[in-house]
Amino acid sequence: MQNTYQNTSASPPGQLPLKRITICADDFGMENSVDHGIADLARRDRLSAVSCMTQGPSLRANASLLDGLLVDLGLHLNFTEPFGKSEFHLPLSRLIVASYLRLLPKAKLATEINRQLDSFESCFKRPPDYIDGHQHIHQLPVIREILLASIGQRYPQHPLWLRSTLPADDAARPYRLKTDIIARLGARKMAALAAIAGLPMNKHLLGVYDFSASREEYKALLLHWFQAAEEDDVLMCHPAITAEASVAFGQQRVWEHSVLADPDFPNWLVSAGLSITQLSKRSTG
């Protein structure tokens, strides 16, 4: 299986084919306002993937909000948010250092990965369509190897996809330093290992910023990402209906939801030559 899917869509004569991208909302299960914001956008056909935190306090109560929606459902692997349900978690900076020094407890990692996969299957009655990581921890050394081993053991016949954090090749992209740092934490090695395992990935990751934008600034960023997007890219987002004190970057999540729910959103897509797709459907064209 190739590492990215190929575009086999046909377009009307004289028109360029639309580039198919995935718009993915992260953090479903973190909190009610997040879950309802994500479900609202999915019902509006503004999303094609939802990343679920199986340890999150609201996941099971709100999982039915996603019933029947045309979105991929993925495991948002978590090792940094405590939630009171994990045998292993660390602040992101400590997790990164420990992973590169290869000091992470492999047995605990394997147990926790399988625990989160078990919880996903229990909640949704099926395996995930894909796996990514909260704060991109799925690509870190040690974690990525154990994750890929778990996937191979559990889902040998299930071609789930993995999130790549490789940035778009756009010299003028906003937050270039942050996107490059995220990618340098493991994107290329993760892609190489996924290719060996026969697991497809998205081409690039869009949607990285510092979570300080106003509504209009986020809209400008979104339009920039649309123009930079290529076939099989993933654009991540973090929407919520209301800003809750218990959730980080609450106001920015509300602005994201507002922009993504904008009535002009379909026109922005068309102007950029894009359509939204589920990556899980692309293996058959």
Side-chain angles (χ1 to χ4, degrees):
M1 183 179 294
Q2 294 182 341
N3 200 42
T4 56
Y5 299 108
Q6 299 300 310
N7 185 353
T8 58
S9 62
S11 298
Q15 293 186 17
L16 293 174
L18 295 176
K19 293 177 286 187
R20 294 177 289 188
I21 67 167
T22 292
I23 300 183
C24 178
D26 288 356
D27 300 341
F28 190 91
M30 177 178 280
E31 197 271 340
N32 279 324
S33 67
V34 171
D35 301 349
H36 283 274
I38 290 172
D40 175 67
L41 292 175
R43 287 191 293 267
R44 296 171 187 257
D45 297 323
R46 308 298 167 86
L47 304 174
S48 54
V50 175
S51 294
C52 302
M53 306 185 82
T54 62
Q55 307 155 318
S58 60
L59 178 71
R60 289 191 176 272
N62 292 330
S64 62
L65 295 174
L66 303 176
D67 288 351
L69 299 179
L70 297 178
V71 293
D72 285 351
L73 298 180
L75 172 65
H76 202 46
L77 187 67
N78 171 53
F79 285 127
T80 57
E81 298 286 344
F83 289 133
K85 298 179 181 180
S86 172
E87 291 189 356
F88 177 80
H89 66 273
L90 287 173
L92 180 61
S93 59
R94 288 180 58 192
L95 187 73
I96 291 171
V97 171
S99 71
Y100 271 87
L101 293 177
R102 296 197 169 270
L103 297 176
L104 292 176
K106 294 181 180 180
K108 285 186 177 180
L109 288 177
T111 296
E112 187 57 40
I113 287 171
N114 281 300
R115 190 192 308 275
Q116 292 184 38
L117 287 167
D118 287 343
S119 182
F120 184 99
E121 293 181 29
S122 174
C123 184
F124 295 106
K125 311 305 179 187
R126 63 178 180 85
D129 295 307
Y130 67 96
I131 298 175
D132 58 26
H134 185 55
Q135 299 179 309
H136 316 292
I137 55 87
H138 66 295
Q139 67 177 352
L140 293 176
V142 184
I143 295 175
R144 63 195 177 210
E145 288 87 358
I146 296 173
L147 174 61
L148 288 168
S150 295
I151 292 171
Q153 292 167 3
R154 296 178 68 115
Y155 312 121
Q157 304 302 320
H158 179 60
L160 57 79
W161 59 273
L162 301 171
R163 179 187 285 182
S164 170
T165 65
L166 286 172
D169 186 15
D170 173 14
R173 67 180 184 269
Y175 304 102
R176 184 180 182 92
L177 178 60
K178 185 174 182 179
T179 60
D180 287 348
I181 289 172
I182 290 171
R184 289 173 183 173
L185 287 173
R188 295 194 182 280
K189 183 62 175 179
M190 187 72 175
L193 293 173
I196 293 170
L199 297 173
M201 302 185 81
N202 55 294
K203 190 173 184 181
H204 302 117
L205 180 65
L206 303 163
V208 175
Y209 72 114
D210 65 359
F211 295 102
S212 67
S214 67
R215 184 191 188 282
E216 288 307 307
E217 289 168 338
Y218 183 76
K219 176 183 173 182
L221 285 169
L222 185 69
L223 296 177
H224 175 89
W225 293 325
F226 278 0
Q227 291 298 324
E230 299 181 26
E231 179 84 356
D232 292 326
D233 284 356
V234 164
L235 194 160
M236 67 173 177
C237 59
H238 303 80
I241 289 286
T242 57
E244 301 296 332
S246 60
V247 178
F249 312 115
Q251 186 57 64
Q252 280 66 49
R253 292 174 187 266
V254 173
W255 293 149
E256 289 194 29
H257 177 272
S258 176
V259 171
L260 292 163
D262 193 293
D264 284 335
F265 180 93
N267 296 328
W268 303 339
L269 275 178
V270 171
S271 295
L274 302 176
S275 65
I276 302 175
T277 190
Q278 293 170 254
L279 267 178
S280 65
K281 309 300 183 186
R282 298 295 304 280
S283 58
T284 56

